[in-house]
Amino acid sequence: MAEKLLTAEQVADEVGLDESTVIRLRKQRKIPAVKLGYRTFRFCLPSVEAALGKLEIKAVKAEQ
């Protein structure tokens, strides 16, 4: 079964970020998104969580 596509607001609620942060990360291409229209994007939660996990690992390595 295909994963449900979520809005930036729904993703923000699920992962504990602010909606503006989700949008900023999408614009920076740090999290994947599906473009549905001119200004309409949706997110697949497992893909976003995986991308955020990679960002967290990079941040920890940079601090060391």
Side-chain angles (χ1 to χ4, degrees), residues 34-55:
V34 177
K35 187 172 185 176
L36 298 178
Y38 177 67
R39 291 173 37 177
T40 305
F41 290 86
R42 294 293 183 267
F43 303 86
C44 179
L45 187 58
S47 298
V48 171
E49 289 174 333
L52 290 174
K54 290 178 184 177
L55 287 175

Side-chain angles (χ1 to χ4, degrees), residues 14-60:
E14 289 289 329
V15 298
L17 295 174
D18 191 66
E19 182 180 1
S20 62
T21 302
V22 172
I23 293 169
R24 179 176 48 81
L25 291 171
R26 179 201 48 90
K27 287 180 180 179
Q28 294 173 346
R29 297 177 185 244
K30 293 186 177 180
I31 60 173
V34 177
K35 187 172 185 176
L36 298 178
Y38 177 67
R39 291 173 37 177
T40 305
F41 290 86
R42 294 293 183 267
F43 303 86
C44 179
L45 187 58
S47 298
V48 171
E49 289 174 333
L52 290 174
K54 290 178 184 177
L55 287 175
E56 185 176 312
I57 291 169
K58 288 180 184 177
V60 170

